[in-house]
Every structure is written in structure tokens, then in C-alpha cells.
């Protein structure tokens, strides 16, 4: 689970310049300190004494979480250590290309209610009392029948589907 989390997190660093010493130092420091502080809290958690039991509990919980410590430290370092917009990856996020692509994708595909079909026998699904339950479809409504090929033909949608 932790490996999956780290993989997803590091994949978000694609637009960031990983050849920059600044960025490598921030990543390395954040991961190292993010792993050291929770271990320290495990061993010496009783050393935290603010005078308020609830605050002590909250600090131990937050500082005992490596994800929180690493995230806060990396955010702090990224915003305080000087660097260019390209180094920080901000220039890539300011690009309008991705926004236009996501808008085009949203316009080309509409999900129907049939995707969220409740897995119940048809006899139970036809009960007329379901119209009063907010998350159940009304049995009187006609279902639209369309397939992915219909969507592609209508809207010009291009998709790559890998079926296992």
C-alpha cells in the first residue's frame, strides 16, 4: 500500500524538473524528515507536553503520520526555496492545453444512468415505491440503450479500451 502511494505521489512530479539540485534536495529532505519525525514520535511521544491533552493528542497524531509530515515539509520548502516556474513545475500547470483537452473530453462523453444500475432482480427493481428512494431509479423511466460505438460515432469520441 505504501509503495502504491509513493508511486502515485512521484508520478505527480512529472512536470517538475528532477535534474534541478533544488528539487532533489527538497524531495530528499522531505522524505527523510518525513520518515524520521514519526519514528521519533513513536519512541518519545510523551515528550510532547503543551499543557492541553487534546492538543498533545492532535500533535502526536499529525506528527506521527509520515504522509502529513512529508507533505507539509515539502510544501514549505517548495514555497520558501527560490526557483524558476519551470523548475517548480508551475509553468506546466499554467498551460491551457490540458484544460482544453479535458473540456473536449467532457463534452464528448455523457454517462447514462444505466452505468449505475442497482444489482437487484428485475422483479424487485419494478416496485413502484423506489421512486421515493433518492438513490434508486424510477421504474417508469425508459432506459436509454446505447453503446460505446454509438457514442464514438455520434460525438467523434476516440478511446483506447484495453479489456482484460
Amino acid at each position: 500500500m505504501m509503495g502504491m502511494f509513493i508511486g502515485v505521489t512521484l508520478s505527480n512530479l512529472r512536470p517538475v524538473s528532477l535534474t534541478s539540485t533544488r528539487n532533489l534536495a527538497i524531495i530528499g529532505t522531505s522524505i527523510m524528515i518525513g520518515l524520521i519525525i514519526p519514528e521519533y514520535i513513536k519512541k518519545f511521544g510523551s515528550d510532547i507536553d503543551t499543557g492541553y491533552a487534546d492538543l498533545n493528542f492532535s500533535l502526536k497524531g499529525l506528527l506521527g503520520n509520515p504522509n502529513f509530515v512529508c507533505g507539509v515539509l515539502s510544501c514549505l520548502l517548495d514555497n520558501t526555496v527560490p526557483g524558476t516556474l519551470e523548475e517548480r513545475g508551475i509553468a506546466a500547470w499554467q498551460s491551457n492545453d490540458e484544460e482544453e483537452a479535458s473540456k473536449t473530453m467532457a463534452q464528448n462523453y455523457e454517462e447514462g444512468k444505466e452505468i449505475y444500475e442497482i444489482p437487484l432482480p428485475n422483479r424487485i427493481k419494478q416496485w413502484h415505491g423506489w421512486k421515493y428512494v433518492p438513490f434508486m431509479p424510477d421504474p417508469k423511466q425508459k432506459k436509454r440503450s446505447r453503446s460505446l460505438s454509438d457514442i464514438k460515432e455520434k460525438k467523434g469520441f476516440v478511446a483506447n479500451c484495453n479489456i482484460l
Side-chain angles (χ1 to χ4, degrees), residues 86-147:
E86 288 79 17
E87 272 184 331
R88 297 179 66 195
I90 295 175
W93 288 105
Q94 290 176 342
S95 167
N96 290 335
D97 296 337
E98 291 180 2
E99 292 176 14
E100 289 174 9
S102 66
K103 286 179 185 175
T104 304
M105 182 70 95
Q107 291 171 354
N108 288 342
Y109 182 70
E110 297 176 17
E111 282 186 358
K113 289 183 179 181
E114 64 273 1
I115 293 175
Y116 303 104
E117 186 75 31
I118 304 295
L120 293 173
N122 284 334
R123 184 177 171 114
I124 294 174
K125 284 194 262 185
Q126 296 304 319
W127 179 56
H128 296 287
W130 289 127
K131 64 182 175 185
Y132 299 110
V133 180
F135 59 87
M136 292 297 290
D138 188 0
K140 291 181 183 176
Q141 288 180 344
K142 291 185 178 180
K143 294 182 184 178
R144 294 180 292 170
S145 62
R146 62 181 192 184
S147 65

Side-chain angles (χ1 to χ4, degrees), residues 33-113:
I33 301 297
L35 294 174
I36 291 173
I37 289 180
E39 286 299 318
Y40 179 83
I41 296 298
K42 279 183 191 174
K43 291 181 182 177
F44 305 107
S46 59
D47 290 348
I48 296 179
D49 187 20
T50 61
Y52 299 100
D54 292 339
L55 183 58
N56 293 343
F57 180 75
S58 297
L59 284 175
K60 287 178 191 175
L62 291 174
L63 294 175
N65 185 344
N67 299 332
F68 176 78
V69 175
C70 183
V72 167
L73 184 61
S74 63
C75 183
L76 176 76
L77 289 175
D78 188 43
N79 289 308
T80 55
V81 177
T84 65
L85 293 178
E86 288 79 17
E87 272 184 331
R88 297 179 66 195
I90 295 175
W93 288 105
Q94 290 176 342
S95 167
N96 290 335
D97 296 337
E98 291 180 2
E99 292 176 14
E100 289 174 9
S102 66
K103 286 179 185 175
T104 304
M105 182 70 95
Q107 291 171 354
N108 288 342
Y109 182 70
E110 297 176 17
E111 282 186 358
K113 289 183 179 181

